[in-house]
Amino acid sequence: MNTKIFKINPDNPQEDKLTEASEIIKKGGIVAFPTETVYGLGANALNENAVSKIFEAKGRPSDNPLIVHVANLEQVEKLVEEIPQEAYKIMESFWPGPITIIFNKSKIVPDSITAGLPTVAIRMPNHKIALDLINKSELPIAAPSANLSGKPSPTTFKHVKEDLTGKIDAIIEGGFTGVGLESTVVDITTGIPTILRPGGITREDLMNLFSEVKMDPALHDSSAIPKSPGQKYKHYAPNAKVYVIQGMVTDIQKRIELLYNEYSLQGLKVGIMATNQTEKLYEGKLTINVGDRLNPETIASNLFKALRNFDDMKVDIILAEAIDDDGIGAAIMNRLNKSAGGNIITAKED
Ligand code: TXA
Ligand code: MG
């Protein structure tokens, strides 16, 4: 399949190119587009056949449901059974933005979108190209992240091109995504709002609206079954083996030095994922600085790109520093720990 590229300016999108891209969606094709979190791979959410093409192109397991992207409240009303008070509060405060709400679904939502669940995930993205594409196609657009299943989500056009060229109808090239991690997924169908996947809108943000906000137990207990099916898969995995090193920053840094030397002696190529605070301490070693510990949004924004860059450098081992698990740090550590597939080392002074 020939994949068409539309280069569109995210600040001032070219109408004619957007119209062409929306025609592809209307005709049942699949188009990758930027959002403020990561690039998505979109199709008409009401067309089973179009949706099946997404699963095929990504190699995505069919039991992992998709998020439906909307541009207005009328679209939400058609997709859900009812809009509870909790949802109105979240939508008023954070939409358009990086939070996905789980609703009880209406009959028009195809089973392939929800993987047979009685609920549907909906989000209004805060990105001009994404919103214009939805408006022009006059359809809700189902879109998972535009990566091959299992790989780190794409935050640049280049990532999408690498994973999906030849497999999809078109890619909109529209710059770097901002947040860099996928949206928060929050379930409001069970009374107390429950975070199924941490993301750009944090638990602390939601606590400003509700007296109680739960975290899905599966986020911290690997024996519990996650309510968000996507959370059960190994995810965000670069080709290299990832180790996360946690503890006090000075202990982390010392342990990483030791591990770096140990693996290098074994003839392996090692890369360190460092921060502004530690980068200089690893002088002479292969290092990518992902951002600032005091401004973890910068780390969120660069994380997936760094994982993919290490793959481009063909490293065998990535040693990644853990960061604090609060605020957006919860989402960063969720993705990092998954990319490590359980390889978590606690560094302690002895
Ligand atoms: O930021 C994002 O959310 C990006 C951009 C493109 O919007 N999209 C994204 O989609 O990350 P995806 O498919 O990679 O992740 C969707 C997550 C999965 O973990 C899936 O299991 C969960 O949402 N999900 C979808 N429908 C659900 C439902 N009805 N109940 C529980 N979890 C659901
Ligand atoms: Mg994904």
Side-chain angles (χ1 to χ4, degrees), residues 275-290:
T275 50
N276 279 356
Q277 283 71 17
T278 57
E279 188 188 15
K280 283 211 184 71
L281 304 168
Y282 302 116
E283 220 190 309
K285 298 184 167 63
L286 178 61
T287 302
I288 292 179
N289 178 355
V290 273

PDB file of all heavy atoms in Angstrom, residues 275-290:
ATOM      1  N   THR A 275      19.299  12.357  33.651  1.00  0.00           N
ATOM      2  CA  THR A 275      18.530  13.597  33.785  1.00  0.00           C
ATOM      3  C   THR A 275      19.503  14.775  33.896  1.00  0.00           C
ATOM      4  O   THR A 275      20.706  14.574  34.081  1.00  0.00           O
ATOM      5  CB  THR A 275      17.660  13.539  35.056  1.00  0.00           C
ATOM      6  OG1 THR A 275      18.496  13.147  36.155  1.00  0.00           O
ATOM      7  CG2 THR A 275      16.534  12.541  34.908  1.00  0.00           C
ATOM      8  N   ASN A 276      18.980  15.996  33.818  1.00  0.00           N
ATOM      9  CA  ASN A 276      19.827  17.196  33.960  1.00  0.00           C
ATOM     10  C   ASN A 276      20.714  17.109  35.189  1.00  0.00           C
ATOM     11  O   ASN A 276      21.850  17.547  35.182  1.00  0.00           O
ATOM     12  CB  ASN A 276      18.941  18.442  34.156  1.00  0.00           C
ATOM     13  CG  ASN A 276      18.408  18.957  32.836  1.00  0.00           C
ATOM     14  OD1 ASN A 276      18.760  18.432  31.775  1.00  0.00           O
ATOM     15  ND2 ASN A 276      17.564  19.967  32.896  1.00  0.00           N
ATOM     16  N   GLN A 277      20.148  16.544  36.262  1.00  0.00           N
ATOM     17  CA  GLN A 277      20.842  16.512  37.542  1.00  0.00           C
ATOM     18  C   GLN A 277      22.011  15.528  37.551  1.00  0.00           C
ATOM     19  O   GLN A 277      22.890  15.633  38.392  1.00  0.00           O
ATOM     20  CB  GLN A 277      19.857  16.145  38.667  1.00  0.00           C
ATOM     21  CG  GLN A 277      18.946  17.280  39.109  1.00  0.00           C
ATOM     22  CD  GLN A 277      17.876  17.650  38.077  1.00  0.00           C
ATOM     23  OE1 GLN A 277      17.583  16.895  37.153  1.00  0.00           O
ATOM     24  NE2 GLN A 277      17.292  18.831  38.213  1.00  0.00           N
ATOM     25  N   THR A 278      22.003  14.547  36.646  1.00  0.00           N
ATOM     26  CA  THR A 278      23.004  13.479  36.740  1.00  0.00           C
ATOM     27  C   THR A 278      23.885  13.336  35.499  1.00  0.00           C
ATOM     28  O   THR A 278      24.921  12.673  35.559  1.00  0.00           O
ATOM     29  CB  THR A 278      22.305  12.114  36.953  1.00  0.00           C
ATOM     30  OG1 THR A 278      21.388  11.906  35.875  1.00  0.00           O
ATOM     31  CG2 THR A 278      21.572  12.066  38.275  1.00  0.00           C
ATOM     32  N   GLU A 279      23.467  13.960  34.403  1.00  0.00           N
ATOM     33  CA  GLU A 279      24.137  13.711  33.118  1.00  0.00           C
ATOM     34  C   GLU A 279      25.664  13.836  33.217  1.00  0.00           C
ATOM     35  O   GLU A 279      26.406  12.967  32.758  1.00  0.00           O
ATOM     36  CB  GLU A 279      23.602  14.685  32.073  1.00  0.00           C
ATOM     37  CG  GLU A 279      24.103  14.372  30.682  1.00  0.00           C
ATOM     38  CD  GLU A 279      23.720  15.452  29.676  1.00  0.00           C
ATOM     39  OE1 GLU A 279      23.325  16.553  30.082  1.00  0.00           O
ATOM     40  OE2 GLU A 279      23.833  15.165  28.467  1.00  0.00           O
ATOM     41  N   LYS A 280      26.128  14.924  33.851  1.00  0.00           N
ATOM     42  CA  LYS A 280      27.580  15.205  33.890  1.00  0.00           C
ATOM     43  C   LYS A 280      28.352  14.120  34.634  1.00  0.00           C
ATOM     44  O   LYS A 280      29.529  13.897  34.369  1.00  0.00           O
ATOM     45  CB  LYS A 280      27.816  16.543  34.586  1.00  0.00           C
ATOM     46  CG  LYS A 280      27.514  17.726  33.699  1.00  0.00           C
ATOM     47  CD  LYS A 280      28.416  18.916  34.066  1.00  0.00           C
ATOM     48  CE  LYS A 280      28.060  20.130  33.240  1.00  0.00           C
ATOM     49  NZ  LYS A 280      26.734  20.683  33.663  1.00  0.00           N
ATOM     50  N   LEU A 281      27.683  13.456  35.576  1.00  0.00           N
ATOM     51  CA  LEU A 281      28.362  12.459  36.394  1.00  0.00           C
ATOM     52  C   LEU A 281      28.743  11.208  35.596  1.00  0.00           C
ATOM     53  O   LEU A 281      29.552  10.411  36.033  1.00  0.00           O
ATOM     54  CB  LEU A 281      27.463  12.055  37.577  1.00  0.00           C
ATOM     55  CG  LEU A 281      27.008  13.238  38.442  1.00  0.00           C
ATOM     56  CD1 LEU A 281      25.907  12.817  39.401  1.00  0.00           C
ATOM     57  CD2 LEU A 281      28.193  13.807  39.221  1.00  0.00           C
ATOM     58  N   TYR A 282      28.100  11.042  34.424  1.00  0.00           N
ATOM     59  CA  TYR A 282      28.394   9.859  33.609  1.00  0.00           C
ATOM     60  C   TYR A 282      29.358  10.188  32.475  1.00  0.00           C
ATOM     61  O   TYR A 282      29.289   9.597  31.406  1.00  0.00           O
ATOM     62  CB  TYR A 282      27.101   9.302  33.008  1.00  0.00           C
ATOM     63  CG  TYR A 282      26.041   8.914  34.005  1.00  0.00           C
ATOM     64  CD1 TYR A 282      24.816   9.577  34.029  1.00  0.00           C
ATOM     65  CD2 TYR A 282      26.240   7.869  34.907  1.00  0.00           C
ATOM     66  CE1 TYR A 282      23.821   9.221  34.921  1.00  0.00           C
ATOM     67  CE2 TYR A 282      25.250   7.509  35.803  1.00  0.00           C
ATOM     68  CZ  TYR A 282      24.040   8.189  35.804  1.00  0.00           C
ATOM     69  OH  TYR A 282      23.060   7.829  36.682  1.00  0.00           O
ATOM     70  N   GLU A 283      30.238  11.126  32.692  1.00  0.00           N
ATOM     71  CA  GLU A 283      31.115  11.606  31.622  1.00  0.00           C
ATOM     72  C   GLU A 283      31.834  10.462  30.911  1.00  0.00           C
ATOM     73  O   GLU A 283      32.300   9.527  31.555  1.00  0.00           O
ATOM     74  CB  GLU A 283      32.137  12.576  32.212  1.00  0.00           C
ATOM     75  CG  GLU A 283      32.376  13.743  31.288  1.00  0.00           C
ATOM     76  CD  GLU A 283      33.539  14.580  31.745  1.00  0.00           C
ATOM     77  OE1 GLU A 283      33.560  14.961  32.925  1.00  0.00           O
ATOM     78  OE2 GLU A 283      34.433  14.810  30.917  1.00  0.00           O
ATOM     79  N   GLY A 284      31.857  10.533  29.606  1.00  0.00           N
ATOM     80  CA  GLY A 284      32.550   9.510  28.823  1.00  0.00           C
ATOM     81  C   GLY A 284      31.703   8.288  28.517  1.00  0.00           C
ATOM     82  O   GLY A 284      32.117   7.413  27.769  1.00  0.00           O
ATOM     83  N   LYS A 285      30.516   8.225  29.096  1.00  0.00           N
ATOM     84  CA  LYS A 285      29.644   7.074  28.843  1.00  0.00           C
ATOM     85  C   LYS A 285      28.518   7.475  27.880  1.00  0.00           C
ATOM     86  O   LYS A 285      28.145   8.647  27.823  1.00  0.00           O
ATOM     87  CB  LYS A 285      29.054   6.561  30.160  1.00  0.00           C
ATOM     88  CG  LYS A 285      30.114   6.074  31.145  1.00  0.00           C
ATOM     89  CD  LYS A 285      29.482   5.480  32.387  1.00  0.00           C
ATOM     90  CE  LYS A 285      30.486   4.714  33.213  1.00  0.00           C
ATOM     91  NZ  LYS A 285      31.571   5.557  33.737  1.00  0.00           N
ATOM     92  N   LEU A 286      27.964   6.492  27.168  1.00  0.00           N
ATOM     93  CA  LEU A 286      26.880   6.783  26.220  1.00  0.00           C
ATOM     94  C   LEU A 286      25.602   7.133  26.992  1.00  0.00           C
ATOM     95  O   LEU A 286      25.051   6.283  27.698  1.00  0.00           O
ATOM     96  CB  LEU A 286      26.652   5.565  25.318  1.00  0.00           C
ATOM     97  CG  LEU A 286      25.537   5.677  24.297  1.00  0.00           C
ATOM     98  CD1 LEU A 286      25.798   6.818  23.335  1.00  0.00           C
ATOM     99  CD2 LEU A 286      25.386   4.371  23.532  1.00  0.00           C
ATOM    100  N   THR A 287      25.174   8.377  26.870  1.00  0.00           N
ATOM    101  CA  THR A 287      24.089   8.870  27.720  1.00  0.00           C
ATOM    102  C   THR A 287      23.075   9.669  26.908  1.00  0.00           C
ATOM    103  O   THR A 287      23.454  10.406  26.004  1.00  0.00           O
ATOM    104  CB  THR A 287      24.682   9.801  28.809  1.00  0.00           C
ATOM    105  OG1 THR A 287      25.649   9.067  29.545  1.00  0.00           O
ATOM    106  CG2 THR A 287      23.628  10.317  29.751  1.00  0.00           C
ATOM    107  N   ILE A 288      21.787   9.510  27.220  1.00  0.00           N
ATOM    108  CA  ILE A 288      20.774  10.451  26.710  1.00  0.00           C
ATOM    109  C   ILE A 288      20.150  11.133  27.915  1.00  0.00           C
ATOM    110  O   ILE A 288      19.736  10.476  28.879  1.00  0.00           O
ATOM    111  CB  ILE A 288      19.678   9.740  25.876  1.00  0.00           C
ATOM    112  CG1 ILE A 288      20.259   9.193  24.568  1.00  0.00           C
ATOM    113  CG2 ILE A 288      18.530  10.706  25.580  1.00  0.00           C
ATOM    114  CD1 ILE A 288      19.252   8.458  23.697  1.00  0.00           C
ATOM    115  N   ASN A 289      20.109  12.459  27.861  1.00  0.00           N
ATOM    116  CA  ASN A 289      19.471  13.222  28.926  1.00  0.00           C
ATOM    117  C   ASN A 289      17.993  13.391  28.580  1.00  0.00           C
ATOM    118  O   ASN A 289      17.651  14.005  27.581  1.00  0.00           O
ATOM    119  CB  ASN A 289      20.177  14.582  29.025  1.00  0.00           C
ATOM    120  CG  ASN A 289      19.554  15.478  30.077  1.00  0.00           C
ATOM    121  OD1 ASN A 289      18.545  15.137  30.685  1.00  0.00           O
ATOM    122  ND2 ASN A 289      20.158  16.624  30.294  1.00  0.00           N
ATOM    123  N   VAL A 290      17.084  12.820  29.409  1.00  0.00           N
ATOM    124  CA  VAL A 290      15.650  12.903  29.067  1.00  0.00           C
ATOM    125  C   VAL A 290      14.969  14.140  29.609  1.00  0.00           C
ATOM    126  O   VAL A 290      13.846  14.439  29.217  1.00  0.00           O
ATOM    127  CB  VAL A 290      14.798  11.711  29.563  1.00  0.00           C
ATOM    128  CG1 VAL A 290      14.794  10.599  28.572  1.00  0.00           C
ATOM    129  CG2 VAL A 290      15.108  11.272  30.947  1.00  0.00           C
TER     130      VAL A 290
END
